[in-house]
Amino acid sequence: MHRNAFLAASLLTVMVTACGSAEQPEVVEQIIVREPGEPETAVDPAGNDGAVDLVALGEDAFQICTGCHVNEAGAPSTAGPNLHGVIGRTAGGLEGYPYSDAVMTSDIVWDEASLDGYLADPAGYLPGTDMLAGAVPDPDTRAAIIAYLASTGE
Ligand code: HEC
């Protein structure tokens, strides 16, 4: 069996406690060693235990949506409805936006599950919707966008 550990250096510098020697430099490059079979983890620059910062990823990925949507309290809608506070909102619930009948007659209240379904395949999830682009096939990207929308709501 070979050790297939690999090293990923230079992702960030972290503070480490010098192990037993006061002469050790306090700041070193972090070395990540992954054993075969271990899940890949991403490094969060904020240092949250290797967890990915979903909200930040989602904010970046939201660029897919900004051609048609804003996400800003009180801002006028663009081609699509303003998505600020969309989680917990009844589909078609933004006053003044000319939604399709498909949205208006749906019984959807946007939550993580319904957003996930709609973003995966808008026209498949809600036949007749006017959202003709912006599908996000990758589930992780959808999760990140939804986390971002949730973080900006209220
Ligand atoms: C090509 C333009 C376009 C893109 C790109 C787009 N959308 Fe939309 N979106 C729309 C339109 C138009 C509607 C209104 C749909 C209707 O009335 O059937 C809509 C509706 C929605 C709704 C329902 C909102 C409500 O108030 O009920 C959500 C949620 C949504 N979009 C999320 C997204 C997200 C997230 C992205 C990016 C991943 C995205 N959309 C990308 C045009 C777009």
Side-chain angles (χ1 to χ4, degrees), residues 24 62 117 143:
Q24 293 278 340
F62 190 71

Side-chain angles (χ1 to χ4, degrees), residues 61-69 78-83 86-87 89-94 97-104 106 108 110 114-115 118-119 122 126 128-136 141-142 145-146 149:
F62 190 71
Q63 302 306 315
I64 304 166
C65 325
T66 53
C68 299
H69 292 282
T78 47
N82 186 343
L83 292 180
V86 73
I87 294 189
R89 188 160 93 191
T90 304
L94 185 70
Y97 180 84
Y99 289 98
S100 65
D101 288 347
V103 167
M104 293 307 281
S106 76
I108 296 169
W110 294 118
S114 54
L115 278 171
Y118 186 58
L119 294 180
L126 199 51
T129 182
D130 287 342
M131 180 163 148
L132 301 178
V136 182
T141 306
R142 290 199 301 275
I145 290 173
I146 293 165
L149 288 172

Side-chain angles (χ1 to χ4, degrees), residues 5 10 19 24 37 39 42 77 86 89 95 102 134-135 138:
S10 325
C19 293
Q24 293 278 340
S77 295
V86 73
R89 188 160 93 191
E95 215 156 301
D138 177 51

